[in-house]
């Protein structure tokens, strides 16, 4: 009888905790939706371009009834940027959470592997050669994936956290040096373009870039989420995961490829946007712990929420202009980084 009561009590507690976690997911979804509408509403230019909530909602629900100017502002200019903030934030949040799990390191993010630096070098090559905006994105993607392949071949014979991180750091410094070399020989205008691209910005977004990014995220995300129980086993250590039947090396290679693809396609269109892959998973871990069934989607939603909020803030800092969103996310992310470092030092290891 006592055992039955204990079991019933345990099931009730488990069900209550799950309801709380589902409630967090629902709350984040609602916040992201509100932030997206707020992003569309927020004008960086003069008050002439400010639209009311009613005008924006009417244009979103019934585009054919909107005036020509409202349609252009909402549908063609602001909506793609607002949606790209959500998609890229979702992508980087997922990638950061997955990377922290497979590397057993809460300070890991896609940029630990130097993906952003490699993409920046590719974009710099296109800018110096005068290849145009399309080729800038193409070369940024190519070099981002190139560094992923380099790290994979460097670590394929010993797929563990240390080898992957060290390979990533080595490649990061390599591409930093190559980009500095390009900037040294570039003209003043070219250097200005390179620096602006490296800041990270959503303002280059159009519907085609949004579609490509969204398709990649829609394909890769389910492939990561379906392995959530394997990632949960991995949090207990590689040896424990192996004893539970998880192919640890295969799982890490699969995860590494998927998060590299997600990060590369995001970076190639928006530039280097840091700290999303660090701050999003950190918040998720504080909310739900290491249960990957909830940790992964909440990390993704936290990333989307942070980048969407940063997009709004970037328009409000200085009227008439838009601050690069990468600067805003870096300012937001610095406190999270220091908190992780201090927690790691106090805990003597993983935060």
């Amino acid at each position: 009888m006592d055992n039955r009561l204990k079991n019933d009590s345990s099931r009730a507690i488990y069900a209550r905790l799950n309801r709380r976690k589902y409630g967090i997911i629902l709350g984040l979804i609602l916040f992201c939706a509100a932030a997206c509408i707020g992003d569309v509403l927020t004008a960086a230019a003069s008050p002439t371009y400010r639209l009311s909530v009613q005008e924006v909602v009417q244009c979103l629900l019934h585009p054919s009834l909107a005036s020509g100017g409202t349609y252009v502002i909402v549908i063609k200019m602001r909506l793609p940027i607002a949606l790209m903030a959500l998609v890229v934030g979702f992508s980087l949040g997922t990638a950061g959470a997955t990377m922290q799990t497979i590397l057993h390191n809460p300070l890991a993010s896609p940029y630990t592997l130097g993906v952003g630096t490699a993409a920046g070098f590719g974009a710099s090559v296109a800018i110096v050669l005068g290849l145009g905006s399309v080729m800038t994105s193409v070369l940024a993607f190519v070099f981002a994936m190139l560094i992923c392949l380099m790290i994979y071949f460097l670590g394929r014979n010993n797929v563990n956290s240390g080898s992957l991180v060290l390979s990533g750091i080595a490649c990061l410094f390599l591409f930093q040096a190559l980009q500095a070399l390009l900037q040294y020989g570039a003209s003043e205008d070219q250097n200005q373009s390179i620096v602006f691209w490296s800041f990270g910005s959503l303002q280059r977004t159009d519907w085609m870039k949004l579609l490509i990014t969204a398709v990649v995220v829609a394909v890769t995300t389910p492939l990561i989420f379906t392995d959530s129980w394997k990632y949960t086993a991995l949090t207990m250590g590689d040896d424990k995961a192996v004893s539970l039947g998880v192919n640890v090396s295969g799982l890490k290679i699969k995860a590494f490829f998927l998060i590299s693809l997600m990060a590369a396609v995001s970076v190639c269109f928006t530039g280097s946007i840091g700290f999303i892959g660090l701050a999003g998973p950190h918040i998720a871990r504080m909310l739900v712990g290491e249960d990957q069934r909830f940790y992964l989607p909440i990390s993704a939603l936290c990333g989307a929420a942070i980048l969407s909020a940063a997009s709004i803030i970037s328009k409000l800092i200085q009227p008439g202009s838009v601050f690069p969103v990468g600067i805003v996310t870096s300012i937001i992310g610095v406190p999270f980084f220091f908190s992780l470092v201090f927690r790691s030092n106090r805990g003597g290891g993983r935060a």
Side-chain angles (χ1 to χ4, degrees):
M1 189 67 177
D2 291 340
N3 289 335
R4 184 182 302 174
L5 290 175
K6 289 180 180 179
N7 290 336
D8 291 342
S9 176
S10 298
R11 282 195 293 267
I13 294 173
Y14 179 75
R16 186 170 64 252
L17 290 175
N18 279 351
R19 285 196 298 271
R20 173 183 171 274
K21 293 172 182 177
Y22 283 119
I24 292 173
I25 291 176
L26 178 59
L28 286 170
I29 291 174
L30 293 176
F31 180 88
C32 288
C36 183
I37 295 175
D39 201 358
V40 176
L41 280 169
T42 308
S46 65
T48 305
Y49 296 95
R50 291 177 184 169
L51 303 175
S52 67
V53 176
Q54 182 180 357
E55 287 176 309
V56 172
V57 173
Q58 183 180 10
C59 186
L60 292 174
L61 297 178
H62 306 286
S64 59
L65 300 179
S67 65
T70 302
Y71 180 86
V72 170
I73 292 173
V74 174
I75 303 300
K76 292 191 175 181
M77 296 173 61
R78 296 186 187 174
L79 185 58
I81 293 173
L83 292 176
M84 182 65 101
L86 293 178
V87 173
V88 171
F90 189 96
S91 172
L92 295 178
T94 303
T98 308
M99 182 171 293
Q100 290 178 21
T101 298
I102 64 176
L103 296 182
H104 304 292
N105 189 340
L107 302 180
S109 75
Y111 296 92
T112 303
L113 297 180
V115 175
T117 307
F121 173 73
S124 301
V125 171
I127 291 171
V128 170
L129 296 179
L131 300 180
S133 59
V134 175
M135 285 305 298
T136 299
S137 296
V138 170
L139 284 185
F141 176 80
V142 169
F143 277 90
M145 288 306 297
L146 177 62
I147 194 172
C148 297
L149 291 174
M150 289 174 62
I151 297 169
Y152 166 71
F153 285 114
L154 288 172
R156 63 178 178 173
N157 295 324
N158 184 22
V159 185
N160 57 57
S161 303
S163 63
L164 290 178
V165 171
L166 290 175
S167 299
I169 292 174
C171 292
L172 184 149
F173 282 111
L174 170 63
F175 282 105
Q176 276 186 339
L178 292 175
Q179 181 169 339
L181 183 63
L182 276 179
Q183 289 183 267
Y184 181 78
S187 66
E188 184 177 346
D189 291 339
Q190 290 171 340
N191 266 318
Q192 186 175 3
S193 298
I194 292 172
V195 170
F196 180 79
W197 195 94
S198 65
F199 282 158
S201 174
L202 298 167
Q203 301 306 308
R204 294 182 290 267
T205 301
D206 56 37
W207 281 107
M208 181 55 66
K209 294 176 181 177
L210 173 62
L211 178 62
I212 294 171
T213 308
V215 168
V216 171
V217 174
V219 171
T220 55
T221 300
L223 296 175
I224 292 176
F225 285 4
T226 52
D227 286 331
S228 59
W229 77 268
K230 296 180 182 179
Y231 293 125
T232 301
L234 201 61
T235 61
M236 296 182 285
D238 290 2
D239 294 337
K240 181 66 175 178
V242 170
S243 69
L244 293 174
V246 178
N247 181 356
V248 172
S249 295
L251 179 64
K252 288 186 176 182
I253 289 299
K254 176 185 175 182
F256 176 68
F257 173 77
L258 292 174
I259 61 181
S260 298
L261 182 61
M262 295 173 74
V265 75
S266 298
V267 168
C268 78
F269 291 136
T270 63
S272 182
I273 300 178
F275 284 106
I276 298 296
L278 178 67
H282 177 51
I283 296 173
R285 188 176 293 109
M286 290 191 298
L287 291 174
V288 297
E290 295 282 2
D291 186 346
Q292 302 291 309
R293 296 174 302 161
F294 298 98
Y295 171 66
L296 290 174
I298 290 177
S299 295
L301 289 172
C302 285
I306 293 171
L307 188 54
S308 187
S311 178
I312 296 174
I313 295 172
S314 69
K315 301 176 187 178
L316 299 176
I317 294 176
Q318 183 176 350
S321 63
V322 180
F323 259 57
V325 73
I327 296 177
V328 179
T329 58
S330 295
I331 293 174
I332 294 174
V334 166
F336 286 103
F337 183 83
F338 280 118
S339 69
L340 281 174
V341 172
F342 293 145
R343 286 182 64 191
S344 297
N345 289 338
R346 287 199 302 267
R350 184 172 177 169

